[in-house]
């Protein structure tokens, strides 16, 4: 988006109102050059030719890379279509991106509000923040409960839908309240993806995500990103990336950009199947605590429908015991027992095995892939039947 630091020109302009599929397949592409590929291959370089004074976009591999430039432009075009005042920065992982915002924006004596039901690694970040003399407050995502602990905070961190519980909060309401109190707002957009939700349009200062998940969608790339509207705040994020060297490899960046081309196809298939699976699970007596924001009777549906265009590929539910959950996972044939989510191959796990989430022992986080819906639902229902004994 902001090319002042990259020296790269924008690719062919998209028509006004271009759809998500059109935008995804064209995002970040350079101007066409005869005999050159439409998406240039990864640039492997620790340094660049640099005679004289160090000017220009590419000087050293920890600072910039042409492959990052194209990917960052693509992400910016998805998170903030039609905006040229938004910058995107890519990182080696989602946690690298999260850490860059937290540690670049906060100082000793500041206060930050985190979700108490967010991503499992957030408590690790909390411990480090407190070591640096930063006050950490927490509240649940649901019911916009973070409003109750917002006064005097420097930064509000929102995760919606929350992982793994799938609660949703009103981003616009929280952002307006935070800004009125002088706080910055960051939204973890990992589960929704830019095709499901655009936090910057809802008032957030930062949209942050793990590109490891549905953005790249194949379970073979670790990646994170930060997009932001404020040049000064993003300069601090960029400086943090340089200091800690939390940069993606060029191959990972290229794979991510290639994968974004199919984002709309994958998201629509996975979201539709997730709703189909959730409806089927709703009929099973052994399933309790079923959550999917796309279900009309889900507690988060009303808020989600106001701010989300797609509801995500994750369904969560609880089976009666740890043993039943383990038998269910063992009985699945089309679903990998693995952590993470958003890939084209369905995965599921008993989330309590990690010990960091406030969930029951029988809690299942199910990530819906791109299999045929009928096959996937049949496999899940069969596994439920077989695990009942």
């Amino acid at each position: 988006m902001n090319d002042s630091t990259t020296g790269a020109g924008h690719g062919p302009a998209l028509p006004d109102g271009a759809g998500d599929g059109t935008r995804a397949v064209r995002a970040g592409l350079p101007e066409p050059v005869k005999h050159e590929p439409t998406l240039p291959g990864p640039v492997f370089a620790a340094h660049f030719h640099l005679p004289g004074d160090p000017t220009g976009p590419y000087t050293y591999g920890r600072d910039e890379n042409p492959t990052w430039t194209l990917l960052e432009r693509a992400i910016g075009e998805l998170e903030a279509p039609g905006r040229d005042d938004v910058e995107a920065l890519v990182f080696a992982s989602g946690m690298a991106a999260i850490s860059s915002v937290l540690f670049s924006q906060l100082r000793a004596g500041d206060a930050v509000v985190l979700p108490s039901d967010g991503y499992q690694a957030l408590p690790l970040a909390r411990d480090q923040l407190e070591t640096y003399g930063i006050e950490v407050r927490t509240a649940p995502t649901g019911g916009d409960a973070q409003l109750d602990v917002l006064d005097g905070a420097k930064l509000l961190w929102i995760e919606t839908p929350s992982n793994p519980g799938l609660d949703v909060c009103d981003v616009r309401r929280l952002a307006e309240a935070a800004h009125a109190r002088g706080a910055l707002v960051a939204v973890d957009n990992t589960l929704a993806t830019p095709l499901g939700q655009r936090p910057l349009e809802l008032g957030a200062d930062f949209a942050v995500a793990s590109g490891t998940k549905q953005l790249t969608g194949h379970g073979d790339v670790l990646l994170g990103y930060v997009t932001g509207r404020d040049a000064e705040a993003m300069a601090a994020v960029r400086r943090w990336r340089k200091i800690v060297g939390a940069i993606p490899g060029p191959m990972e960046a290229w794979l991510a950009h290639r994968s974004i081309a199919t984002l709309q196809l994958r998201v629509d298939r996975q979201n539709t199947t997730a709703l189909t699976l959730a409806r089927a699970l709703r009929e099973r007596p052994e399933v309790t605590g079923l959550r999917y924001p796309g279900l009309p009777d889900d507690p988060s549906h009303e808020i989600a429908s106001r701010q989300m265009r797609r509801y995500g590929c994750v369904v969560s539910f609880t089976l009666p015991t740890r043993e039943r959950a383990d038998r269910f996972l063992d009985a699945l044939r089309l679903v990998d027992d693995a952590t993470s989510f958003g890939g084209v191959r369905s995965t599921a796990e008993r989330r309590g095995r990690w010990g960091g989430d406030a969930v029951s022992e029988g809690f299942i986080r199910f990530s819906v892939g791109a299999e045929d819906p009928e096959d996937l639902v049949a496999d899940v229902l069969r596994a439920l039947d077989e695990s009942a004994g």
Side-chain angles (χ1 to χ4, degrees), residues 163-311:
N163 173 25
L166 303 183
D167 270 325
V168 172
C169 60
D170 188 330
V171 175
R172 194 179 301 278
R173 180 189 181 203
L174 286 166
E176 290 176 353
H179 291 155
R181 293 164 170 81
L184 294 168
V185 178
V187 176
D188 186 328
N189 205 34
T190 301
L191 201 145
T193 82
L195 299 195
Q197 179 173 266
R198 295 176 184 151
L200 300 180
E201 292 182 357
L202 297 170
D205 300 287
F206 303 98
V208 186
S210 168
T212 308
K213 311 298 194 297
Q214 197 170 21
L215 185 82
T216 56
H218 290 78
D220 53 9
V221 171
L222 286 173
L223 193 87
Y225 70 83
V226 178
T227 58
R229 301 181 298 169
D230 182 86
E232 183 177 352
M234 287 301 292
V237 174
R238 179 184 289 274
R239 181 174 181 269
W240 180 262
R241 182 178 70 174
K242 178 174 181 175
I243 291 170
V244 301
I247 57 173
M251 191 66 195
E252 285 78 6
W254 184 86
L255 285 169
H257 197 170
R258 179 213 59 177
S259 299
I260 284 175
T262 62
L263 179 61
Q264 183 261 337
L265 297 172
R266 293 184 282 105
V267 164
D268 280 354
R269 174 62 170 261
Q270 291 170 263
N271 283 215
T272 299
T273 305
L275 180 58
T276 301
L277 176 63
R279 286 171 173 161
L281 290 170
R282 190 167 51 184
E283 306 303 317
R284 298 291 300 209
E286 69 270 51
V287 170
T288 60
L290 175 66
R291 296 299 304 271
Y292 183 68
L295 287 171
D297 57 350
D298 187 272
S300 294
H301 182 72
E302 181 180 355
I303 296 174
S305 296
R306 293 201 301 264
Q307 66 190 23
M308 298 183 73
R309 297 177 299 129
R310 295 171 175 87
Y311 298 107

Side-chain angles (χ1 to χ4, degrees), residues 77-145:
E77 289 171 0
L78 294 177
E79 285 281 3
R83 297 278 297 269
D84 59 5
D85 60 342
V86 169
E87 183 176 3
L89 296 170
V90 290
F91 290 82
S93 68
M95 276 307 299
I98 289 170
S99 298
S100 75
V101 175
L102 292 173
F103 294 106
S104 70
Q105 304 302 313
L106 297 168
R107 303 288 184 272
D110 289 341
V112 59
V113 177
L114 302 179
S116 59
D117 54 346
Y119 179 50
Q120 185 191 48
L122 282 180
L124 299 176
R126 174 180 183 162
D127 291 345
Q128 194 62 48
L129 289 165
E130 290 177 337
T131 298
Y132 290 160
I134 296 164
E135 178 189 355
V136 179
R137 308 170 189 166
T138 61
T141 299
D144 297 343

